């Protein structure tokens, strides 16, 4: 069974940093591109960042470019999102999701809540 | 930048009725990357449809997707109580704003 489990969320002050993790199991993690998607309270889904299977290709939404860094450790079956210079508008539930070239974004974690507030 | 506009914002229907949800792209998009998701409160999105018309694993056949170019549709043939939720379309890295299907 595929499992994606996010962790690392919490309350942080504006300007602070946080590192999110996503632990993957039940599939060959090293073969899949991975993504971070966020959802502000009561709002829709917003793509944040993507990383290819070997980390060769990395993409960011304009809203987080220069502040967030996506990475992965295929030996540890883990995906990360380093978030710096956090702003109130970064407050959201952050989901990790895997990407299958044939079937798309089929597996999602349960999400981790990041709250940026003083 | 592609913008996906979903309509209506809210759909009020009764169990057993047919639901038709629309997703319109600001420019022609590839059907290969058009997906639909269902999200219930407090839960992660669940993939329903990929490639505009292919059902994901385990999705009941009352859910169907169609369309091409700029206009795509998700149809739920007969609403079950568990289908009342928010539905999002996605094209590559862009999500639509969502349609809430609520009980009338």
């Amino acid at each position: 069974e595929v499992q994606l489990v996010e962790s690392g969320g919490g309350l942080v002050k504006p300007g602070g940093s946080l590192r999110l993790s996503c632990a993957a199991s039940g599939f060959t993690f090293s073969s899949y591109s991975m993504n971070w998607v966020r959802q502000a309270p009561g709002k829709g889904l917003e793509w944040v960042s993507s990383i290819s299977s070997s980390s060769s290709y990395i993409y960011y939404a304009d809203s987080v470019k220069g502040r967030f860094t996506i990475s992965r450790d295929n030996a540890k079956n883990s995906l990360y999102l380093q978030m710096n210079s956090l702003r109130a508008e970064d407050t959201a539930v952050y989901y990790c999701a895997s990407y299958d070239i044939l079937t798309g974004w089929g597996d999602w974690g349960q999400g981790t809540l990041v709250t940026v507030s003083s | 930048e592609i913008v996906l506009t979903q309509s209506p914002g809210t759909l009020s229907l009764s169990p057993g009725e047919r639901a038709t949800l629309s997703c319109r792209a600001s420019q022609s998009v590839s059907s290969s990357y058009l997906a639909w998701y269902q999200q219930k409160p407090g839960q992660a999105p669940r993939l329903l449809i990929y490639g505009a018309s292919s059902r994901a694993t385990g999705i009941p056949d009352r859910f169907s997707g169609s369309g091409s170019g700029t206009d795509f549709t998700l149809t739920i043939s007969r609403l079950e109580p568990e289908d009342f939720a928010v539905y999002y379309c996605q094209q590559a890295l862009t999500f639509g704003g969502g349609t809430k299907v609520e009980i009338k």
Side-chain angles (χ1 to χ4, degrees):
Chain A
E1 179 195 3
V2 172
Q3 277 204 313
L4 295 170
V5 180
E6 301 94 337
S7 61
L11 175 63
V12 61
K13 289 181 168 54
S17 298
L18 216 51
R19 188 195 197 207
L20 305 184
S21 299
C22 171
S25 61
F27 67 107
T28 307
F29 178 75
S30 59
S31 297
Y32 288 77
S33 295
M34 295 295 295
N35 308 276
W36 287 101
V37 175
R38 68 183 181 185
Q39 186 170 36
K43 302 297 184 182
L45 302 170
E46 179 190 14
W47 168 74
V48 172
S49 184
S50 299
I51 186 168
S52 63
S53 57
S54 61
S55 304
S56 298
Y57 301 98
I58 287 176
Y59 307 96
Y60 297 100
D62 288 344
S63 57
V64 307
K65 201 173 293 182
R67 301 187 298 123
F68 289 12
T69 301
I70 190 172
S71 63
R72 65 190 295 162
D73 185 336
N74 287 342
K76 294 183 178 180
N77 289 341
S78 293
L79 173 73
Y80 306 102
L81 186 68
Q82 177 66 45
M83 305 187 295
N84 299 331
S85 303
L86 283 162
R87 307 166 179 166
E89 54 265 36
D90 295 318
T91 294
V93 174
Y94 285 73
Y95 297 99
C96 63
S98 62
Y99 173 73
D100 182 292
I101 194 169
L102 295 177
T103 59
W105 302 33
D107 294 296
W108 295 62
Q110 85 290 347
T112 187
L113 175 62
V114 172
T115 303
V116 184
S117 174
S118 54
Chain B
E1 179 190 340
I2 292 172
V3 176
L4 298 179
T5 301
Q6 292 189 239
S7 62
T10 301
L11 199 51
S12 299
L13 295 168
S14 300
E17 290 194 292
R18 182 184 188 90
T20 303
L21 287 66
S22 172
C23 176
R24 179 162 290 176
S26 57
Q27 61 191 79
S28 185
V29 300
S30 168
S31 298
S32 299
Y33 300 107
L34 197 289
W36 290 92
Y37 298 86
Q38 176 193 69
Q39 188 179 35
K40 297 179 181 179
Q43 295 185 17
R46 174 194 182 197
L47 178 66
L48 298 175
I49 301 288
Y50 63 93
S53 60
S54 298
R55 272 187 300 277
T57 303
I59 302 303
D61 60 8
R62 64 180 180 273
F63 291 92
S64 63
S66 63
S68 63
T70 60
D71 290 303
F72 298 88
T73 300
L74 174 70
T75 301
I76 311 171
S77 58
R78 284 169 46 89
L79 283 164
E80 297 288 340
E82 62 267 29
D83 298 337
F84 291 93
V86 179
Y87 292 83
Y88 294 95
C89 62
Q90 176 202 24
Q91 202 285 329
L93 302 178
T94 301
F95 290 92
T99 290
K100 181 180 182 181
V101 178
E102 65 176 22
I103 299 176
K104 186 174 181 180

